[in-house]
Amino acid sequence: MSLESMSAGSPVYLDANATTPVLPSIVEVVTHAMQVCFGNPSSSHITGVQAKHLMEQARQRARELVGAGHGDILFTSGATEGIQTAIVSALLNAKKNVTPESVLLYGATEHKAVPNTLKHWNQVLGINARILSIPVDRNGLLDLAFIEAHAKDALMLCTMAVNNETGVIQDLNAIEAVIRSQNMECAWMVDCVQALGKRNLVLSETTIDYAPFSGHKLYAPKGIGMLYIRHNAPYTPFIAGGGQESGMRSGTENLPGIASLNELCRLLLDAEQSPFQSHEQLGHYRDMLKEAVVDTFEQVSFHHDFARSVPTTLNFSVDNLTSKEVIDLFDAAGIRVSGGSACSSGSNRSFVLDAMGLSDWQSENAIRMSFGPADTMEQIEEACRRIRSLKPILAQNCLIVSDSQYPNQEACAIGVTQFRHQGACCWLYVAANREAVIIDPIVELLPRLERLIQKQQLIVKAVLDTHNHQDRSSGHVILSDMLGFDSSQSDALGWPRNLDEIKVGDATLKSVKTPGHSTDSVSYLLYQTERVVLCFCGDLVLPHGLGATHKEGGDAFSMASSLMNLDTVLSPDTVMCSAHDYKQCFAITWKVQKGQLPLLFALTSGALSVEDFVADKAAQSVQEAEPEQLDLCGFINAVQNSAFEELNATNAVEWMHANNATLIDTREAYEHSAQCTPCSVIQESEEVLNIPLSRMADAILRGIITPDNAYVLLCRTGNRSRQAATTLRNLGFTKVCNLKGGVALS
Ligand code: PLP
């Protein structure tokens, strides 16, 4: 089955832990509360009285649902507000008891709202207690011995009922026993956001002081939540004003939101009418999804013990496929899942999985698949069907870039391909006869390279390093072994001792010594006829920066002569392939490289002596480097983002016609061919080139795109294509525009 037919229809949504759609019956009551029962609960006329009645009915049902006993239920804007209210109340009350030993404790896998709120108010309120994170074990369960050791000094403890990334259920009874054996006074907050509708709660039978909940995690709209406050627990209003909610939380109540909770609680309380599935049925759904994932991706590791997790969450990683690849693949098939670290924007790792002691790969490449308790068998079956349909696509593409211009090479990496891992780059060059060289292989990418070599039947002529990388271990020895190369026949960087040059199809690879970043640095020059078309230069020079010379073996003097020597053999159009690309440049030529680095330009044009280059390079390292740059293998000059137009779909189509522009899809081949989301710009274009970022260098090398022509770039959301547009502008393409918001918004 093709992705096209597979993804027809509405997307399969498997990201319920992030948020859920609103159930139809909830939409109905919300609409009613906006149009009919819309009164202000504080008004004394009948419309107000009706509104108040609705609000109190919701509170009564919520009490019943969570077993609030004599405790209070307060309506809030969501869990984050509930967390603020609880923490401020507890800390203000504890202020009088602060000692130098005082601590605030929170679970290492809490939602970030918890530690960040603790840190904020601890400082703002001048409490200045030590804040300690309670470790968890491999199953994500809190370390009870740690709690026992610190509880007596705790002013407050924050734990959670169910984790949002893994679904792991904490043993609240055991935690309570340990806390209270040490400290009857300290405040205890339990984040119950992900437990609502999935766990039975009788809060009044516990010593939990505060429990925040959020509506949008369980079929109510965003912007409504509630907070349980134990009877007699310390409380300070977080929002003062008109005295609503008995003065505990001012501001006119969000009646439509409260009406949604009213209906939600009704559904949860009424087993007969409830659309929610039984625990067993949800467990069955999880098994079905697990099986579909394992059948499709084969090498999958699940990150949590299913017996100790709610059935609605699966957290896993696929060996050899990054989470980005898996998510893009799912997205192309119309399945919405999230990276395990969805809530920690900016970071690629999951702090939750790190806390559980999982491997780097698992933490960086986690996928979270979560569904809601009202999902039906039909929906789960459809999800499984779509997941399984990815299997042939995975096999066909071996997730390698392809160039749709050449259908006979559809799954083949002929030409040059960049593979990235964090800021590091590895390069693969494949000639038309499938002879190949691999430069600077990265350990983390080896399984992928191995698979590629096997599936594409590449004839690897050499696996080479440009130098002994100081920032990472190299994959060249392992890969060479795997390919059966005799290491005694090659030098330390992998170059065969008996050869002056290596033939790769009709190209020739030569090695030149280019010390500077390190003493052993070499550059590999790929000649086609007499011209150097590719230069694998390691860390001598990186896009937008010169290699670092302050690390072991670094020497600016040697770097100057290496650069000048290279300048005599490279042509302006030589594509430079560095071992790092910290600025996401993807493709750069020698001419552009020189244009962007004044020091390099001055040196190679003779305007700067070697001595002055050495002095300026040293000064640059000291003055211009940000502290964190000192760890990098090169100093990156600030990149000036060349201006290009960002157009919406209508304007992009107009611009494309007016400029006779070609459309470039920068998504990976499997996403490009899926085209599951109809896109007006694609429909309007006569020709679409598929050039993923990893193949930008190849497109330049082969002249598939040229600065004389005009291009509209697109991808899924407009981000990758923006990077590609920046690259093209830097390369002197003047007629380039980016489709703002990508396929998602057009
Ligand atoms: N706590 C947990 C466990 C969550 O999953 C979330 C939402 O991601 C929050 C707190 C914050 O909830 P809200 O979006 O209602 O502020």
Side-chain angles (χ1 to χ4, degrees), residues 181-405:
S181 71
Q182 301 299 312
N183 190 337
M184 286 307 290
E185 299 300 315
C186 84
W188 182 24
M189 180 185 82
V190 178
D191 176 341
C192 289
V193 169
Q194 299 287 350
L196 191 65
K198 299 163 199 166
R199 303 284 300 156
N200 278 339
L201 297 167
V202 191
L203 293 171
S204 61
E205 288 180 6
T206 71
T207 58
I208 295 169
D209 294 289
Y210 311 98
F213 297 88
S214 177
H216 73 103
K217 305 289 182 179
L218 201 72
Y219 305 113
K222 290 149 193 76
I224 186 70
M226 57 191 194
L227 176 66
Y228 159 82
I229 306 151
R230 191 164 66 93
H231 182 59
N232 283 337
Y235 187 81
T236 303
F238 187 67
I239 303 179
Q244 288 88 347
E245 292 282 70
S246 312
M248 291 172 80
R249 198 265 187 189
S250 287
T252 301
E253 297 87 345
N254 170 3
L255 202 72
I258 293 170
S260 73
L261 292 188
N262 189 29
E263 174 65 4
L264 174 64
C265 292
R266 188 186 72 80
L267 296 174
L268 286 167
L269 287 167
D270 183 351
E272 299 275 290
Q273 288 190 36
S274 170
F276 297 113
Q277 310 292 341
S278 67
H279 191 82
E280 287 68 38
Q281 182 70 343
L282 296 175
H284 181 49
Y285 288 173
R286 172 170 64 186
D287 293 343
M288 289 167 66
L289 287 168
K290 179 186 171 188
E291 222 175 284
V293 167
V294 173
D295 283 353
T296 306
F297 294 100
E298 292 172 10
Q299 288 152 321
V300 182
S301 64
F302 289 89
H303 298 154
H304 52 115
D305 179 357
F306 281 4
R308 294 174 203 203
S309 318
V310 290
T312 44
T313 307
L314 295 91
N315 193 305
F316 61 91
S317 54
V318 178
D319 290 0
N320 311 336
L321 288 183
T322 65
S323 56
K324 184 179 176 316
E325 288 163 338
V326 178
I327 291 172
D328 287 350
L329 196 58
F330 276 141
D331 221 4
I335 305 167
R336 310 285 188 252
V337 296
S338 83
S341 53
C343 294
S344 44
S345 57
S347 151
N348 291 328
R349 302 181 65 91
S350 156
F351 69 88
V352 170
L353 301 182
D354 282 345
M356 289 164 67
L358 298 193
S359 72
D360 284 350
W361 180 267
Q362 290 169 315
S363 171
E364 284 164 12
N365 296 295
I367 301 291
R368 180 182 71 183
M369 197 176 251
S370 53
F371 55 93
D375 275 354
T376 60
M377 179 58 109
E378 230 184 337
Q379 285 169 307
I380 300 296
E381 276 173 351
E382 172 64 8
C384 293
R385 199 175 61 75
R386 290 202 199 184
I387 295 168
R388 285 205 161 85
S389 307
L390 291 170
K391 195 167 173 133
I393 289 142
L394 271 167
Q396 250 169 41
N397 281 280
C398 38
L399 271 186
I400 181 61
V401 280
S402 75
D403 193 337
S404 58
Q405 275 194 323

